[in-house]
Amino acid sequence: MFVKKVKKYYEYIMTKFNVLLEQKSFRHDTVVRKYIYKDYPKSDVLVVVFSSCTRPGLKARYNYVRTLNPMPVKRLFILDDTGSDNRGSYYMGYNWNFKEEAATIELIKSFIEKTKAKKVIFCGSSKGGYSALNLGMAFENSRMIVGSPQYYLATYLETSSNIPTLTQIMGEKTPEKFEKLDFYLRDKLKNNQYIKSQKIYYHYSNKEHTYFEHVKDMIRDMKKFGYDIKEDVADYTNHSEISYYFPDFLKKSIYDIIRNQD
């Protein structure tokens, strides 16, 4: 565990350095998305990485930049740092307009076209996992590598330290909006036209609260809807510990996809 912690903090420092040198922006409609792109000319695989939640008071940051440095793939890291607290909106948008979601999809499409990628992998943990599923489902033949994402988003945001995020996404809070946001991901999973062409690599611990509150129901629904899922089950008890376990799963899953063309 000590080695994992050292690696985590080293990655954080290196990511801050990379941001100063490599961060760029993409505009769609009224939205500006920040990103870092790492090329690998010999590869036709594009990996898209989404940000996790930060603690209140900390701005959003890029995740898994250092983790994926050795990987022989093209990498697109997208930041979700808008809002009054710079912690983002789950890549969705504000006042119920979902413009951030649309802009993120357009950014990804632009890189698929630019890089001529034949395989696209969406990945992230917790909030990043939710976003990888939510946005990855929009692309046929996509692969999604996720770690313990939330499922009932409105309930999660209301009962955690993320009420400002909930308020910003919904704008004026109504029971109808709350219910729609709570089942936003479930409804997309159910109505996804590309189910048969996609595969999900799903890491979680069955000993921490996210499993009982979100993951268990999501896995059940995914199987009911007909998704191809590869599960990786750990036994840590604190949700934050995912940052020590998910990186290895992420790298292994990407290598499996590359080698097997899965």
Side-chain angles (χ1 to χ4, degrees):
M1 181 63 72
F2 174 75
V3 174
K4 289 180 181 290
K5 287 183 178 180
V6 171
K7 287 183 178 178
K8 179 183 176 182
Y9 288 119
Y10 179 68
E11 178 178 347
Y12 171 72
I13 292 170
M14 291 304 296
T15 299
K16 295 288 283 185
F17 180 71
N18 283 333
V19 168
L20 293 175
L21 296 177
E22 300 177 275
Q23 180 172 267
K24 297 181 180 179
S25 61
F26 173 87
R27 179 179 292 275
H28 176 74
D29 196 356
T30 60
V31 176
V32 175
R33 296 268 67 165
K34 299 173 184 174
Y35 68 89
I36 292 175
Y37 174 66
K38 303 273 193 177
D39 196 19
Y40 195 90
K42 295 181 180 179
S43 176
D44 59 5
V45 177
L46 175 65
V47 177
V48 184
V49 189
F50 301 94
S51 302
S52 303
C53 276
T54 54
R55 296 190 305 274
L58 292 179
K59 296 180 181 180
R61 61 179 184 239
Y62 296 96
N63 290 122
Y64 305 119
V65 177
R66 179 74 179 176
T67 298
L68 297 182
N69 262 350
M71 305 296 289
V73 292
K74 304 176 189 298
R75 288 147 283 155
L76 175 63
F77 303 89
I78 307 176
L79 189 64
D80 183 35
D81 68 339
T82 51
S84 60
D85 58 0
N86 298 115
R87 297 174 70 212
S89 68
Y90 273 68
Y91 297 86
M92 288 186 172
Y94 297 92
N95 297 316
W96 211 240
N97 63 25
F98 296 93
K99 288 185 177 181
E100 304 276 341
E101 181 175 291
T104 307
I105 288 174
E106 290 304 314
L107 170 59
I108 295 166
K109 285 181 177 178
S110 74
F111 268 90
I112 293 174
E113 182 177 353
K114 184 186 305 182
T115 63
K116 295 180 172 54
K118 294 181 179 178
K119 181 84 71 178
V120 187
I121 303 170
F122 298 82
C123 55
S125 57
S126 194
K127 167 190 167 182
Y130 183 102
S131 304
L133 290 170
N134 182 39
L135 298 169
M137 281 188 285
F139 295 85
E140 190 173 9
N141 297 313
S142 64
R143 298 295 179 261
M144 291 159 268
I145 306 172
V146 302
S148 294
Q150 293 79 39
Y151 197 29
Y152 306 113
L153 187 57
T155 296
Y156 168 75
L157 293 174
E158 187 175 59
T159 56
S160 67
S161 59
N162 295 293
I163 290 178
T165 303
L166 176 62
T167 302
Q168 289 168 166
I169 293 173
M170 288 198 303
E172 180 185 0
K173 181 181 177 181
T174 67
E176 293 76 20
K177 286 181 181 178
F178 190 93
E179 182 178 6
K180 183 173 181 178
L181 185 61
D182 230 21
F183 293 109
Y184 191 77
L185 189 58
R186 185 204 65 181
D187 290 344
K188 280 200 171 183
L189 286 166
K190 182 178 180 180
N191 299 313
N192 178 15
Q193 63 179 317
Y194 299 130
I195 289 175
K196 297 303 181 182
S197 74
Q198 297 170 339
K199 184 168 183 177
I200 298 170
Y201 297 75
Y202 203 128
H203 167 85
Y204 61 92
S205 167
N206 59 9
K207 299 288 178 60
E208 59 107 348
H209 73 93
T210 302
Y211 172 76
F212 300 101
E213 296 167 8
H214 300 277
V215 169
K216 179 167 60 70
D217 288 357
M218 192 190 301
I219 292 287
R220 177 203 65 204
D221 287 348
M222 284 178 169
K223 290 180 178 178
K224 180 171 67 175
F225 299 151
Y227 284 88
D228 184 358
I229 312 172
K230 182 176 181 180
E231 297 176 61
D232 179 64
V233 186
D235 61 358
Y236 48 88
T237 57
N238 192 320
H239 181 67
S240 64
E241 292 181 79
I242 191 172
S243 63
Y244 303 131
Y245 292 85
F246 184 70
D248 287 341
F249 175 72
L250 174 59
K251 288 187 290 186
K252 181 180 184 304
S253 298
I254 292 174
Y255 275 125
D256 286 348
I257 293 170
I258 295 172
R259 290 166 180 162
N260 302 327
Q261 289 299 300
D262 195 3

